[in-house]
């Protein structure tokens, strides 16, 4: 009888692969039955959640088209208002006529004039430029001199701008109770013909109304 047979209760040493001859495979310390060790990384490599990124993308997809719609609506409304204003602005426009207009119609508005406004009409028969401005004594004399005339040519109490012309731009020339003076400057074609009416209610700052007509 061998020594092993004489001591049947003695435990057998484990095999090299960790298996016990009489039982299942032993589980290493710190391991779970599924084979993963405690304290290891979670599935997915530990990357943070991307839900917030998806939420931002969805928000932008909704918000950006809505913003374009709002901007488009505002621009459409503003464009409609501008067109309505342009359609109703059939009279005088504030500001100096262009240099080309002043040269063609021979209306040299004096520098530093106030309440300057103008209106131009064109047709195949005749073109006219309506101009108003407030100047001082020197400005009036300079204006008349540059068109080839003088203050002495103004007839006191005379209104040379017709009612139809005044109505076209809303002028109230010729009203009673005001100090009017006027003249007509007739020149050979193609030079313009000017109708000038001046209101001298304030002699230091006369208001000048001019209608210059050109016949092509």
């Amino acid at each position: 009888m061998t020594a092993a047979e004489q001591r049947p209760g003695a435990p057998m040493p484990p095999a090299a692969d960790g298996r016990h001859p009489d039982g299942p495979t032993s589980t290493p310390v710190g391991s779970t039955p599924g084979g993963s060790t405690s304290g290891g990384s979670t599935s997915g490599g530990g990357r943070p959640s991307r839900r917030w990124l998806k939420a931002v993308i969805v928000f932008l997809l909704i918000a950006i088209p809505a913003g374009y719609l709002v901007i488009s609506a505002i621009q459409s409304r503003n464009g409609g208002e501008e067109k309505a204003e342009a359609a109703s602005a059939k009279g005088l426009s504030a500001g100096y006529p262009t240099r080309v207009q002043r040269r063609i119609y021979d209306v040299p508005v004096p520098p530093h004039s106030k309440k300057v406004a103008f209106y131009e009409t064109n047709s195949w028969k005749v073109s006219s430029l309506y101009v108003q401005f407030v100047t001082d004594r020197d400005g009036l004399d300079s204006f008349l001199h540059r068109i080839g005339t003088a203050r002495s040519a103004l007839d006191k109490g005379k209104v040379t701008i017709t009612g139809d012309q005044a109505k076209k731009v809303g002028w109230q020339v010729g009203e009673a109770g005001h100090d009017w003076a006027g003249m007509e400057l007739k020149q050979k074609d193609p030079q313009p013909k000017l109708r000038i009416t001046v209101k001298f209610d304030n002699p230091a700052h006369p208001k000048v109304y001019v209608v210059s007509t050109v016949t092509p």
Side-chain angles (χ1 to χ4, degrees), residues 26-32 36-38:
S26 61
T27 303
V29 177
S31 300
T32 61
S36 61
T37 57
S38 61

Side-chain angles (χ1 to χ4, degrees), residues 79-183:
E81 291 175 353
E82 290 174 359
K83 289 179 181 178
E85 290 176 359
S88 63
K90 297 179 180 179
L92 295 166
S93 298
Y96 280 70
T98 66
R99 291 183 179 180
V100 173
Q101 288 174 318
R102 282 176 276 171
R103 183 175 67 252
I104 291 174
Y105 292 97
D106 198 12
V107 185
V109 181
H112 312 298
S113 296
K114 306 296 182 183
K115 298 181 179 179
V116 182
F118 70 96
Y119 175 68
E120 184 180 17
T121 62
N122 296 286
S123 70
W124 67 277
K125 288 184 177 180
V126 65
S127 297
S128 298
L129 181 68
Y130 296 68
V131 183
Q132 70 174 44
F133 58 89
V134 175
T135 185
D136 55 18
R137 291 186 179 93
D138 292 339
L140 177 60
D141 289 338
S142 174
F143 167 72
L144 295 173
H145 175 74
R146 291 182 65 183
I147 62 176
T149 185
R151 188 189 292 254
S152 58
L154 293 170
D155 292 335
K156 187 175 178 60
K158 186 175 182 179
V159 175
T160 56
I161 294 174
T162 68
D164 289 340
Q165 290 173 331
K167 184 178 180 180
K168 183 169 292 187
V169 292
W171 284 342
Q172 303 297 320
V173 295
E175 287 187 330
H178 299 281
D179 188 2
W180 301 101
M183 62 168 291

